[in-house]
Amino acid sequence: MGNNPVRRRQTPSAPDSYDTEPGPVPALLVLVCSVAAAAVAVAQPFVLGRTLDLLLHDRTAGAWLAASAALLVGEILLDSLTALLTGRCTADWTASIRSRALSGMLHAVPDLVTRYAPGDVATRLTLNAFDAGGAPAARAALAASLITPAGALVALAVVDMWVAACVLTGLPALALVLRTFARDTGTSVRSYQRVQSDIADRLVETLDGAETIAAAGTAVRERERVLRPLTELAELGRRMWVLHGRALATGGVLVPLLTLAATAVGGLRLGAGALSVGELLAVCRYAQLTAGFGSAATLLGGVVRGRSARERTTALEQLPALPYGSRVLPPDGPGALQLRGVRVLREGTEVLRVDEVVVPGGLTAAVVGRSGAGKSVLAAVAGRLIDPDQGEVLLDGTPLDQLTRPCLRAEVGFAFPRPVLGDGTVAEAVAAGPRTVSPHQVRKALRVAGADTFVRRLPDTYDTRLADAPLSGGEYQRLGLARAFAHAGRLLVMDDATSSLDTATEHAVDLALRRTLGAATRLVVAHRPSVAARADLVIWLENGRVRAVGPHRQLWGEAAYRAVFTTEEHGGEPLGTRVGGDGSPRGRIASLRDDVRP
């Protein structure tokens, strides 16, 4: 499998329509309505000027008055329709961006997803997605806002070339102001969004540790820690408002000057008899439209903000996913697991090295080692949540990276210490997975996991919604075990999945599991000597390398192995050494007693 290339996101098909982009139609509708409104705005001064001239000369102006009224009503209706379409376009794009970013995370290599802090992810999926969702409509509106000055300039040239030339001389200055505003705003927006994510992440950490903070009495210090970036956020916010205000202020000076100059030239042309009163009215209005700046600056700010936000959401959407092959496992295989020449690197540092480890089918292998030894990394590689940088992992002689996704996930199951079960009922949570599970199998899995007793005490038993079930950490963990058991294939990887269970319950679950799963192979990340003693095989890791593989009884003779299970609460004495610590039945009973001793 060595040096497997990680392919870019190809979002799996899903029934959710938001997994695909809305396409250009919503933004195109906004553009069409905005352009139509711009055309009406450009036509209005000419029609009004013509109407005024007719009225001043006592001529019939009924048709022109009707046209003026129609243009006014049309502008109001088009502006309303534009606002409606803009809202719909923004909503569709925001939903699509959020859905695809979330889908990208859920289908990505888990190791890459965990590099994003929870608060950062929340900010990208909420604030950033909303800003990015508004960008398509903002771009369409910005394009239309540029059509209005262009159309007004053309109309102005038709009415009087000299006034048009006067206005044209000031447009380069306005363009320079817009360009500077876009450049400086982009830098500030990226920094602002980064600090927002930092504050959100600190807040999520605080909420997650609320009990610890309350118990330690560190609420004031924690509050200061969460709010510390507010100073930088406020400074960045002030900078963005200064940039926006400076651009508007500059435009606020240039636009009146251009309008005043156009009016002065128009007045001179009126005095010379080259313009009528109505044409002077049109000239003044066209000069204002040509120099229109405020709306363009606001829309440009939205486009810049949306572009920066889109970069942040795209990073989640395009997280690399594991490639899958086209093979399936041979039928009736025993579930033999083999790791050969496996190397896993993190930022250039080798965190796992397994030259050759074989777990025969149907056996239980315990993975032990001190914290940071690489136990969870080995579990992730064995079940192909991640691919090794070198080497290969085989199940019944077939490399895992050559299996199809349905085959891999049906035959290789996982159980974790903090399972995510959703918000459905207990039965739905256990049944959810790669296999179709009957109600009888759900109940059987709950019994094996030791969860059936407390589930029966819930208000609606198996149909109780998890959101309404007051479950402890151990009970929640047992539901996760039940789901893993219900969908167990040839290999079951249990990564610290019984950490919240007391030793007696864990032992009972293990006995029931052996009877139920039969020939299924189990890889168990173990922290207790009692778990290692019950395993058929122990994989002993030290500093990311396999130090030894063998039965617990054989390894127990080494002091370094016993030290793996040493805890301060036992006075530095290795667990299970008091009586029969060699892994014998008598020793296992002693280990059970020692594990639960205060």
Side-chain angles (χ1 to χ4, degrees):
M1 188 192 307
N3 295 318
N4 284 317
V6 179
R7 68 186 178 195
R8 283 290 174 183
R9 162 98 13 242
Q10 292 182 352
T11 305
S13 58
D16 191 349
S17 61
Y18 290 124
D19 278 347
T20 58
E21 290 186 354
V25 174
L28 185 60
L29 291 175
V30 174
L31 179 60
V32 169
C33 285
S34 299
V35 169
V40 170
V42 171
Q44 272 186 337
F46 176 80
V47 174
L48 287 173
R50 181 61 176 166
T51 303
L52 180 59
D53 283 340
L54 291 173
L55 292 174
L56 289 175
H57 291 84
D58 296 325
R59 296 179 184 176
T60 302
W64 289 96
L65 281 173
S68 299
L71 289 174
L72 180 60
V73 173
E75 184 178 18
I76 294 173
L77 292 177
L78 286 171
D79 285 343
S80 300
L81 184 58
T82 300
L84 177 63
L85 293 174
T86 297
R88 180 60 183 270
C89 178
T90 299
D92 287 347
W93 271 100
T94 300
S96 175
I97 289 171
R98 284 175 177 161
S99 179
R100 287 183 290 122
L102 181 59
S103 180
M105 289 181 57
L106 295 178
H107 291 91
V109 179
D111 187 51
L112 299 178
V113 176
T114 56
R115 299 179 188 180
Y116 289 87
D120 183 26
V121 171
T123 303
R124 291 172 189 252
L125 292 177
T126 53
L127 294 176
N128 297 158
F130 178 76
D131 287 339
R139 283 194 296 268
L142 179 60
S145 72
L146 297 179
I147 291 175
T148 301
L153 183 60
V154 172
L156 186 58
V158 171
V159 175
D160 190 275
M161 183 63 69
W162 291 100
V163 180
C166 174
V167 172
L168 190 60
T169 57
L171 293 183
L174 288 174
L176 180 62
V177 172
L178 283 175
R179 182 178 180 277
T180 304
F181 171 71
R183 182 194 62 204
D184 295 343
T185 299
T187 302
S188 297
V189 163
R190 283 189 288 272
S191 300
Y192 191 88
Q193 291 171 343
R194 174 185 55 79
V195 178
Q196 277 184 321
S197 292
D198 185 20
I199 294 176
D201 187 51
R202 292 172 185 237
L203 180 59
V204 170
E205 289 178 354
T206 299
L207 295 176
D208 192 46
E211 292 181 349
T212 302
I213 294 168
T218 58
V220 174
R221 187 179 67 180
E222 191 63 22
R223 178 181 179 275
E224 293 176 352
R225 185 186 74 87
V226 172
L227 299 181
R228 192 174 300 131
L230 275 180
T231 303
E232 182 182 1
L233 190 72
E235 180 60 31
L236 290 170
R238 279 193 296 269
R239 174 172 171 75
M240 286 193 295
W241 279 113
V242 166
L243 290 172
H244 192 74
R246 185 182 301 163
L248 291 180
T250 304
V253 173
L254 289 175
V255 170
L257 286 177
L258 286 175
T259 304
L260 181 61
T263 304
V265 173
L268 293 175
R269 299 286 289 166
L270 176 64
L275 290 179
S276 66
V277 175
E279 289 173 335
L280 178 61
L281 174 64
V283 162
C284 294
R285 179 56 181 156
Y286 281 137
Q288 292 175 344
L289 292 176
T290 302
F293 181 81
S295 61
T298 301
L299 292 170
L300 183 59
V303 170
V304 171
R305 187 169 59 253
R307 182 175 58 190
S308 176
R310 189 71 183 99
E311 292 174 357
R312 293 173 58 80
T313 59
T314 301
L316 300 181
E317 182 181 332
Q318 294 184 348
L319 282 171
L322 286 174
Y324 293 92
S326 57
R327 297 181 61 181
V328 295
L329 291 173
D332 302 324
L337 177 67
Q338 181 180 10
L339 290 84
R340 189 164 58 196
V342 168
R343 306 286 185 273
V344 178
L345 305 177
R346 297 280 172 80
E347 298 181 356
T349 302
E350 188 176 82
V351 296
L352 182 66
R353 181 187 186 97
V354 181
D355 293 322
E356 183 72 26
V357 167
V358 177
V359 180
L363 299 188
T364 298
V367 183
V368 306
R370 293 186 179 276
S371 178
K375 302 185 295 295
S376 291
V377 178
L378 189 148
V381 168
R384 204 180 176 234
L385 288 181
I386 61 173
D387 276 335
D389 295 280
Q390 297 180 25
E392 59 181 358
V393 181
L394 301 96
L395 185 62
D396 287 335
T398 304
L400 292 185
D401 67 327
Q402 296 182 15
L403 297 177
T404 64
R405 189 176 190 276
C407 176
L408 176 67
R409 291 304 158 217
E411 296 295 346
V412 180
F414 272 89
F416 295 102
R418 300 178 65 180
V420 177
L421 302 177
D423 59 356
T425 66
V426 171
E428 290 171 347
V430 175
R435 300 175 185 272
T436 301
V437 179
S438 67
H440 172 72
Q441 290 172 312
V442 168
R443 293 181 175 85
K444 181 179 179 182
L446 287 168
R447 287 195 298 272
V448 173
D452 191 64
T453 302
F454 73 79
V455 169
R456 287 180 177 274
R457 292 198 299 266
L458 294 175
D460 298 315
T461 62
Y462 304 103
D463 294 324
T464 303
R465 298 192 67 83
L466 290 172
D468 302 328
L471 302 178
S472 67
E475 290 170 338
Y476 207 78
Q477 195 171 80
R478 272 182 272 180
L479 292 183
L481 287 171
R483 181 169 66 182
F485 299 160
H487 298 275
R490 305 186 192 198
L491 174 64
L492 176 61
V493 181
M494 300 174 63
D495 186 359
D496 202 19
T498 58
S499 58
S500 296
L501 306 184
D502 59 82
T503 309
T505 300
E506 181 186 55
H507 183 54
V509 169
D510 180 73
L511 292 177
L513 182 61
R514 288 172 181 269
R515 291 194 300 267
T516 303
L517 294 188
T521 305
R522 293 170 292 281
L523 188 70
V524 183
V525 174
H527 297 278
R528 297 171 179 171
S530 55
V531 177
R534 291 194 297 268
D536 303 296
L537 195 66
V538 173
I539 303 172
W540 176 16
L541 295 179
E542 189 172 272
N543 297 324
R545 300 197 174 195
V546 178
R547 176 162 176 175
V549 178
H552 174 75
R553 178 183 301 181
Q554 175 184 328
L555 297 177
W556 192 260
E558 296 192 36
Y561 178 77
R562 295 195 300 273
V564 170
F565 303 101
T566 300
T567 62
E568 293 181 2
E569 63 181 291
H570 287 81
E573 181 180 1
L575 296 174
T577 58
R578 291 184 176 86
V579 182
D582 57 355
S584 63
R586 183 166 172 245
R588 292 180 185 177
I589 295 173
S591 295
L592 291 173
R593 183 172 62 248
D594 292 341
D595 279 355
V596 298
R597 181 177 297 173

